[in-house]
């Protein structure tokens, strides 16, 4: 699912704990991301933004600690 060029960045504030995932293969679906990121913590929401060549997504976690764990990989 994830290639070496996939980037995960944090967009953290006090109420929303989201990670931004870029450079995804266009075939990646919400289910794929949930399965991959659930090992880091409880996922509140996954939003995939498909594009023709490279997609991106936002993964929202229940806590800042879980989001930071995912960002650190």
């Amino acid at each position: 699912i994830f290639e070496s060029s996939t980037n995960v960045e944090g967009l953290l504030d006090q109420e929303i704990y989201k990670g931004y995932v870029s450079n995804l293969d266009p075939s990646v679906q919400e289910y794929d991301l949930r399965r991959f990121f659930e090992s880091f913590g409880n996922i509140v929401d996954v939003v995939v933004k498909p594009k023709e060549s490279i997609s991106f997504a936002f993964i929202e976690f229940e806590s800042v600690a879980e989001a930071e764990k995912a960002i650190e990989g």
Side-chain angles (χ1 to χ4, degrees):
I1 295 173
F2 299 96
E3 298 179 13
S4 59
S5 61
T6 298
N7 298 319
V8 178
E9 300 174 17
L11 305 171
L12 306 178
D13 67 27
Q14 293 178 343
E15 296 181 17
I16 299 173
Y17 312 109
K18 286 187 180 180
Y20 171 75
V21 185
S22 63
N23 298 328
L24 294 171
D25 185 279
S27 66
V28 173
Q29 301 292 313
E30 176 185 338
Y31 173 79
D32 302 317
L33 293 171
R34 282 187 180 275
R35 285 192 57 208
F36 181 83
F37 283 100
E38 68 187 2
S39 65
F40 299 108
N42 295 320
I43 296 172
V44 174
D45 192 27
V46 175
V47 177
V48 178
K49 299 292 187 177
K51 299 287 183 184
E52 287 184 32
S53 58
I54 297 175
S55 297
F56 64 96
F58 294 99
I59 315 296
E60 185 177 348
F61 290 88
E62 196 170 88
S63 73
V64 68
E66 293 167 333
E68 287 175 342
K69 187 177 173 184
I71 292 165
E72 293 169 3

